[in-house]
Amino acid sequence: KAMCSGRLQTALLVAGYFVYLLVGAAVFQALERTAEKQEKMAAAQMKEAFLQNFTQLTVAEMEQFMKNLIEAIQNGVYPVGNESQFEESNWDFSNSFFFAGTVVSTIGYGTLHPKTAGGQIFCVFFALFGIPLNIVFLHHVGKMLSLLCKKLGKFLYEKGMRKKKIKFLTLLFFLATGILVFLCLPSVFFQITEGWSYSEGIYFAFITLSTIGFGDYVVGKQSDRKYFSYYRVLVAIWILFGLAWIALLFNL
């Protein structure tokens, strides 16, 4: 009975956690998408004006153009290619969900951030409640994984192995399995999808799961590549369970 109750609590927590992320993603999308569209239109107009008059620009006008261009890039607007690229949004549902995941996990790459007053205020409250919820979620997932550790330990103990050796082998097993599942295999996936080298994939995976999050490598940001739908949603889920694996290693 207690076990069923514990499983129900865990299931409700996991469901509530993902609902929280989904709602957050929907709100960020609603608050930021229109403002982003206006920014992209302004960047397109700036680019067009530059291409028409670049031979006649003064040094001061060129400096202003460079400042505007840098500001646009910092805001996630890349005025390259044709107009169809301006129709693709940084705040579609997949990107918004990815952003919500990086907020509650405190990774914060810095490449995508709310720019409207409403989005910034919502982000404060979303993080205020989402970060503790994320900690509780990771703790519960870590506990579920630790049960697997106990079962493995029990199996080895019944085979006549000493407790110290069991602890070492359990730690080694989950370390090796986690490195394979959360670092090595995803890096191959990033290598294929992003066009990075394998070492860059490993670097990105480690910097992400350690929550350092420099933002020098971020998935789904190359304008010359076509990504499948909900690519960043899958990456966000990988991040969340990868963080749970790291939490389990600390517990072990």
Side-chain angles (χ1 to χ4, degrees):
K1 215 173 186 182
M3 191 179 288
C4 287
S5 176
R7 283 178 181 173
L8 180 63
Q9 283 180 354
T10 302
L12 287 172
L13 174 66
V14 172
Y17 179 71
F18 278 98
V19 167
Y20 188 82
L21 290 180
L22 290 168
V23 170
V27 174
F28 281 121
Q29 185 181 15
L31 291 171
E32 295 295 323
R33 202 164 187 174
T34 304
E36 183 206 31
K37 196 173 181 181
Q38 291 171 351
E39 262 190 77
K40 286 190 172 184
M41 286 174 65
Q45 289 168 359
M46 177 188 73
K47 178 184 174 182
E48 191 179 339
F50 172 78
L51 292 173
Q52 287 175 354
N53 304 304
F54 72 95
T55 55
Q56 301 168 3
L57 291 178
T58 64
V59 174
E61 286 171 334
M62 193 63 167
E63 288 285 336
Q64 188 59 47
F65 171 76
M66 293 300 290
K67 284 179 183 177
N68 292 341
L69 182 63
I70 291 167
E71 189 179 339
I73 292 169
Q74 286 174 341
N75 289 334
V77 176
Y78 301 91
V80 293
N82 54 35
E83 289 182 9
S84 65
Q85 289 179 321
F86 287 91
E87 294 171 12
E88 296 173 7
S89 176
N90 288 320
W91 291 101
D92 60 19
F93 189 78
S94 182
N95 284 328
S96 299
F97 186 89
F98 181 78
F99 173 73
T102 60
V103 168
V104 298
S105 61
T106 70
I107 294 169
Y109 291 114
T111 52
L112 185 64
H113 50 274
K115 291 171 278 291
T116 65
Q120 289 169 349
I121 295 298
F122 176 73
C123 188
V124 170
F125 287 100
F126 181 76
L128 195 64
F129 294 101
I131 292 170
L133 178 61
N134 182 63
I135 292 167
V136 173
F137 170 77
L138 294 180
H139 175 69
H140 269 70
V141 174
K143 275 176 73 176
M144 287 168 65
L145 292 173
S146 67
L147 289 174
L148 295 175
C149 290
K150 286 179 181 177
K151 285 181 180 178
L152 177 62
K154 190 178 179 183
F155 172 76
L156 294 174
Y157 186 71
E158 287 170 355
K159 294 290 180 181
M161 202 173 282
R162 288 181 301 166
K163 284 188 176 180
K164 281 188 178 180
K165 196 173 182 181
I166 288 170
K167 283 183 179 180
F168 173 74
L169 287 175
T170 303
L171 178 61
L172 189 65
F173 172 75
F174 275 91
L175 180 63
T177 306
I179 287 172
L180 178 67
V181 172
F182 294 108
L183 291 178
C184 297
L185 292 179
S187 298
V188 175
F189 177 68
F190 296 136
Q191 185 180 15
I192 295 165
T193 311
E194 298 288 343
W196 298 337
S197 67
Y198 186 71
S199 61
E200 287 173 324
I202 289 280
Y203 169 77
F204 166 75
F206 177 78
I207 291 299
T208 294
L209 296 184
S210 60
T211 71
I212 295 169
F214 288 127
D216 50 350
Y217 288 85
V218 182
V219 294
K221 296 298 289 182
Q222 298 183 65
S223 57
D224 59 336
R225 285 191 168 266
K226 286 286 180 186
Y227 300 101
F228 60 88
S229 298
Y230 301 108
Y231 166 53
R232 294 188 111 196
V233 170
L234 290 176
V235 175
I237 292 169
W238 161 73
I239 289 171
L240 297 172
F241 283 96
L243 292 174
W245 165 65
I246 285 179
L248 171 66
L249 281 183
F250 288 146
N251 287 335
L252 288 174

